[in-house]
Amino acid sequence: LLAAENSSTSKHTETLRTDGMAFRIDGTLDDTSDQKRDQKAERSKQTAQLTKLASAGDITTHSGRDTLIQASELEASGAIDLSAGNAATYNSDGSLKTEGSTGNLTFAAVKDTNYSAEEDKHNSMPWQGQSGSGHYTETLKLASIKAGKGLSASATGDIIVEIPELAPEPAA
C-alpha cells in the first residue's frame, strides 16, 4: 500500500529599472537618477496522497515476500491481519514440501514539504535596501491503523518501522 506524491514548483523573477532626472538642492539638473528593483519568489510543495483501505468486516493481506505499508490508512470494523513471507512447509515424513521465503513487513512514513522564499532588492543613487523571507516546513505522515477486533502482524523476516529524519529547526 503505497503513497503517491504530488509536487509543484514555481519561480518568479521581476526586474524594474527606471531612469530619470532629479534636481539637486541648488536647483541644478541631475540626470544620473536611476532606480533598480529586483524581486524574486520561489515556492515548492510536495504532498503525499495516501492509500486508504476500509472494510465493514475484516482486512487480510498476505504476500509471499515483502510488504510495504507506506503512510496508508487501514480501517476495519473487524480484525486486521497483515503477513509477509512464506514459512517452509513439510510433508508428514518430515521432508521439505515447499521452501519458505523471507518477507519483511515494513511500515514507512512519508514527508510532506512546503518551501517558499522571497527576496526584494532595490537601489537608487542615494539609497539601497534588501529584504528577504522564507520558510521550510516538513510534516510527517505515518500509517494509521484502526481495527475494531484487533491487529495481527507477522513476518518470516522482520517487522520494520521506518521514520525519516526531519530537518532541524533553525535556532531562534
Side-chain angles (χ1 to χ4, degrees), residues 62-129:
H62 177 75
S63 66
R65 296 216 180 256
D66 295 336
T67 297
L68 173 61
I69 299 176
Q70 189 178 47
S72 301
E73 296 178 22
L74 303 175
E75 187 172 339
S77 297
I80 296 178
D81 180 23
L82 309 171
S83 65
N86 288 321
T89 57
Y90 299 92
N91 295 316
S92 58
D93 65 359
S95 63
L96 183 65
K97 183 176 180 180
T98 59
E99 202 171 303
S101 61
T102 301
N104 295 328
L105 180 57
T106 304
F107 297 92
V110 295
K111 289 190 283 189
D112 286 350
T113 60
N114 191 356
Y115 165 76
S116 75
E118 296 177 10
E119 183 180 291
D120 186 11
K121 294 180 187 177
H122 53 88
N123 62 40
S124 62
M125 192 61 160
W127 304 104
Q128 292 186 26

Side-chain angles (χ1 to χ4, degrees), residues 49-62:
Q49 300 300 309
L50 307 182
T51 299
K52 183 172 184 173
L53 187 58
S55 172
D58 296 338
I59 294 176
T60 301
T61 66
H62 177 75

